[in-house]
Amino acid sequence: MSTVVKVKVLKPQTLKQKEMRLELLNALRSAARAVQRDYEATVATWDRKPEFELVIALGKTKAEFLVGTDDKIYGYVDEGTRPHIIAPKKAKVLRFSNIYRAKTSPGVVGSSDGGSSGDPVFAKVVRHPGIRARKFSKTINAKHKKSFKDKMHEAMRRAREKSGNAI
């Protein structure tokens, strides 16, 4: 008894680089904007909102984006500060309200009502207890890591199909 097996070799089409690049750039933009929206949500209720810049890079072997700000206050809130002394620079005393409620919380992407209220307090110096790190960057990165990978895989699948290599 004998069996005959015919094998036909399928040669895939060459990927169309223009389509691949376009699909990857669109996926990068989509992912970056989602991350940027989350950063903006962390300062939604702030009086002085920092600007978040977006940089996208697509090379031969890597696709990446960066969302960030050089705002010092945002850095203090995101990374936290140690206890420190606050002294007046231009006046003889400091003036501040005696009640303060933070607008953000550690590990939470968002911003709520809060701020200063209550009676005014005057002091020549204040021992600030420091700021608990909100860890926005870590939280946002963890939240978007899988969806970024999924968006890039989907973009590559679409580019493959546009090149005639549908599975």
Side-chain angles (χ1 to χ4, degrees):
M1 170 153 225
S2 64
T3 304
V4 176
V5 177
K6 283 188 173 184
V7 177
K8 182 179 178 183
V9 177
L10 298 175
K11 185 177 177 191
Q13 300 284 328
T14 303
L15 283 176
K16 295 179 181 174
Q17 289 185 15
K18 184 178 176 183
E19 280 79 2
M20 178 64 83
R21 185 166 181 76
L22 182 63
E23 289 294 339
L24 290 174
L25 277 171
N26 286 336
L28 274 169
R29 281 189 202 104
S30 172
R33 285 188 193 118
V35 169
Q36 188 174 25
R37 280 192 299 275
D38 273 356
Y39 273 104
E40 289 167 352
T42 65
V43 298
T45 59
W46 291 22
D47 294 331
R48 195 185 64 73
K49 296 175 179 64
E51 296 270 331
F52 293 97
E53 290 190 40
L54 181 61
V55 178
I56 294 173
L58 180 60
K60 287 187 177 186
T61 59
K62 65 180 177 181
E64 59 190 1
F65 65 87
L66 173 69
V67 177
T69 183
D70 59 0
D71 187 86
K72 285 183 179 181
I73 294 172
Y74 191 84
Y76 297 151
V77 175
D78 186 28
E79 297 171 13
T81 64
R82 292 183 172 179
H84 55 280
I85 304 286
I86 301 175
K89 292 182 180 176
K90 295 180 181 178
K92 292 184 179 185
V93 293
L94 297 168
R95 180 187 186 274
F96 54 94
S97 298
N98 67 343
I99 299 172
Y100 181 78
R101 186 172 151 254
K103 294 182 178 186
T104 57
S105 301
V108 176
V109 176
S111 182
S112 62
D113 293 334
S116 304
S117 62
D119 298 327
V121 175
F122 299 90
K124 288 187 176 187
V125 71
V126 172
R127 294 182 192 279
H128 192 283
I131 298 171
R132 267 182 69 202
R134 301 308 195 261
K135 300 181 182 178
F136 298 134
S137 299
K138 276 187 174 181
T139 305
I140 292 170
N141 184 44
K143 176 183 175 184
H144 289 277
K145 196 172 190 174
K146 184 180 181 327
S147 67
F148 172 69
K149 186 176 178 182
D150 292 345
K151 283 180 182 185
M152 297 309 288
H153 282 170
E154 181 61 20
M156 288 184 272
R157 184 196 60 75
R158 286 191 305 269
R160 184 188 72 229
E161 287 178 356
K162 287 179 179 180
S163 296
N165 290 312
I167 294 177

